[in-house]
């Protein structure tokens, strides 16, 4: 019964109405479900490989669609580019 | 590699949190929280959804678009309209099929104002927001003299690639997608029940209209693609919204039944 009342307290309106608590919970939930994906170092999707390579090319100063091409829209390459740049992951 | 894969985790959490914020605008706090958890479960149950591909990552700006759209219907702020179309444009730059969602603006604005001039005026605001990210991309192409290359990859080669998939095959793939993503079966049952409950309502509201329009546009945009599992993610936002409708209506009904008992 104590356990049930604790669960009720956690999922009560007070905690659910606090955005940062909800965000933290969702982040931990996502992270726990993503552990295998995050630590499995192989790239399982060929698309993901294209995005990473595209972002690396952009970091090397190459021009999207001119120096390398894909039918995929530009946003995905720029997104990976910005993240790689932001996280200073530029490889030689 | 783990950091690159971390983008996916950040975007997924962001999307789930945005569902919570959207849910708070439309439903109760408990329902909005349930919806955000269901979203995380829905993108986890199939291994093919795990990689950080376009479909998953484009959902985050798409949910921001939905958030500001409902914010506009609630507060009638021009900035919300502008931001919604701005984020729709970012979604469009990630995945071109989001272009169909621009149809929401004239329908929604005419429903609100019932006046052609006002509809046109507010449509121009949304158009302005939509064009800004596109203008940046066009500027990038112009300074790098890459417009013809973009045209070849995105128009010529893309049409050659897509012509391998006839309309009948696309329709078959669409129907088959419900089989290959069988893990979503409970979600689909509750969401379609939510849709029928929404349609059964005799009164019309702006939110009801928007959910129905998003439902049909999502179906059309899914129809444009092949049968791989990841394309089903385009249907997830509307299924989540319809699940919210189902939960709200059923919880209210359940409370009534309990009180009458």
């Amino acid at each position: 019964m104590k356990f049930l009342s604790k669960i009720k307290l956690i999922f009560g309106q007070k905690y659910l109405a606090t955005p940062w608590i909800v965000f933290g919970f969702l982040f931990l939930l996502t992270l726990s479900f993503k552990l295998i994906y995050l630590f499995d170092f192989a790239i399982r999707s060929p698309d993901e490989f294209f995005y990473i390579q595209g972002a690396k090319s952009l970091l090397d100063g190459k021009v999207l669609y001119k120096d390398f091409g894909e039918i995929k829209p530009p946003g995905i390459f720029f997104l990976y580019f910005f993240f790689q740049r932001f996280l200073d992951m530029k490889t030689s | 590699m783990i950091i690159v894969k971390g983008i996916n985790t950040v975007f997924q959490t962001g999307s789930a949190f945005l569902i919570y914020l959207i849910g708070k605008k439309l439903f109760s706090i408990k329902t909005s929280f349930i919806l955000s958890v269901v979203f995380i479960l829905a993108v986890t149950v199939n291994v093919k959804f795990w990689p950080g591909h376009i479909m998953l990552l484009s959902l985050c700006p798409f949910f921001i678009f939905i958030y500001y759209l409902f914010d506009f219907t609630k507060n009638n702020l021009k900035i919300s309209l502008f931001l919604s179309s701005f984020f729709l444009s970012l979604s469009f730059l990630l995945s071109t099929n989001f272009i169909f969602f621009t149809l929401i603006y004239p329908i929604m604005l005419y429903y609100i104002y019932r006046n052609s001039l006002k509809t046109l005026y507010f449509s121009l605001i949304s158009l302005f927001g939509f064009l800004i990210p596109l203008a940046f991309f066009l500027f990038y192409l112009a300074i790098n003299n890459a417009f013809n290359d973009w045209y070849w990859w995105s128009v010529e080669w893309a049409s050659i690639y897509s012509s391998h998939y006839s309309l009948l095959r696309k329709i078959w793939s669409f129907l088959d997608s419900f089989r290959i993503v069988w893990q979503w079966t409970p979600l689909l049952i509750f969401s379609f029940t939510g849709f029928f409950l929404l349609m059964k309502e005799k009164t019309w509201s702006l939110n009801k209209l928007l959910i129905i329009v998003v439902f049909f546009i999502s179906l059309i945009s899914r129809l444009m693609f092949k049968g791989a599992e990841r394309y089903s993610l385009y249907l997830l936002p509307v299924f989540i919204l319809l699940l919210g409708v189902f939960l709200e209506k059923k919880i209210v009904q359940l409370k009534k039944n309990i009180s009458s008992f």
Side-chain angles (χ1 to χ4, degrees), chain A residues 11 16 19 25 27 30 34 37 39-40 42 47-48 51 64-66 69 71 73-76 80 83 87, chain B residues 2-5 8 12-13 17 20 29 33 40 50 52 54 93-94 137 140 144 149-150 153 157 161 230:
Chain A
F11 289 95
L16 294 186
F25 175 81
F27 181 70
T30 308
K34 287 258 172 205
Y37 166 74
F39 293 100
D40 173 17
D47 284 4
E48 208 173 24
Y51 310 150
L64 179 61
Y65 299 121
K66 197 172 187 179
I71 57 165
I76 193 76
Y80 270 75
F83 265 92
L87 298 164
Chain B
I2 190 171
I3 296 168
V4 173
K5 285 183 174 185
N8 186 350
Q12 197 174 308
T13 312
F17 186 66
Y20 166 77
I29 288 173
F33 179 73
I40 292 173
W50 288 13
I54 291 174
L93 284 175
L94 281 164
F137 176 59
Y140 171 81
N144 290 299
D149 304 280
W150 167 80
W153 279 106
W157 180 241
Y161 178 76
R230 61 183 185 276

Side-chain angles (χ1 to χ4, degrees), chain B residues 4 30 38 75 214 247:
Chain B
V4 173
K30 273 188 183 174
V38 167
N75 302 319
V214 170
L247 287 174

Side-chain angles (χ1 to χ4, degrees), chain B residues 19 35 38-39 187 191 235-245:
Chain B
I19 288 170
L35 295 181
V38 167
F39 171 80
L187 174 68
S191 298
L235 292 171
L236 191 56
V238 77
F239 284 151
I240 294 286
L241 286 175
L242 289 171
L243 178 68
V245 173

Side-chain angles (χ1 to χ4, degrees), chain B residues 165-175 223 225:
Chain B
Y165 297 90
S166 62
L167 184 66
L168 274 175
R169 195 172 164 187
K170 279 175 181 170
I171 292 169
W172 170 250
S173 299
F174 170 73
L175 296 171
L223 201 59
F225 289 97

